[in-house]
Amino acid sequence: MTAETPTGPLGGHLDDDDYPAYTMGRAAAMLGTTQGFLRAIGDARLITPLRSEGGHRRYSRYQLRIAARARELVDQGTPIESACRIVILEDQLEEAQRLNAEYRNVAGSANPPAAT
């Protein structure tokens, strides 16, 4: 088994943040919350877990990070619907800032400083 050709139940997905590797029970245990909380943030459309062939919810590491942030806000007294909206807006802002930095880098390399 090599890094280029991984084998096993996860194949090459060990480093994939979007791979739905965690069951609802495992995700809830990792977050220290209930399965009902995961259902509630799913109902609020914060995250949409993928479903296994048997119909069971499966969560990725990225989704667990999003859920953990929502849980922090809820633990601080923020209503769950508001916490979900805050997390969505934070995520959108982070993505916009990343794109903005990327565009600045491209624009900066397209106009190199004049030689003196």
Side-chain angles (χ1 to χ4, degrees), residues 30-50:
M30 289 171 69
L31 295 171
T33 190
T34 65
Q35 293 180 13
F37 175 79
L38 291 173
R39 283 189 207 95
I41 63 174
D43 291 344
R45 297 179 189 246
L46 177 60
I47 59 175
T48 303
L50 293 175

Side-chain angles (χ1 to χ4, degrees), residues 24 26-42 44 46-47 62-88 90:
M24 178 180 269
R26 179 71 181 132
M30 289 171 69
L31 295 171
T33 190
T34 65
Q35 293 180 13
F37 175 79
L38 291 173
R39 283 189 207 95
I41 63 174
L46 177 60
I47 59 175
Y62 172 76
Q63 289 173 323
L64 294 183
R65 283 194 301 274
I66 296 291
R69 176 65 180 130
R71 177 155 187 249
E72 288 174 14
L73 292 168
V74 169
D75 287 350
Q76 294 171 6
T78 306
I80 196 161
E81 297 82 14
S82 299
C84 290
R85 185 67 181 142
I86 289 168
V87 172
I88 289 167
E90 287 175 342

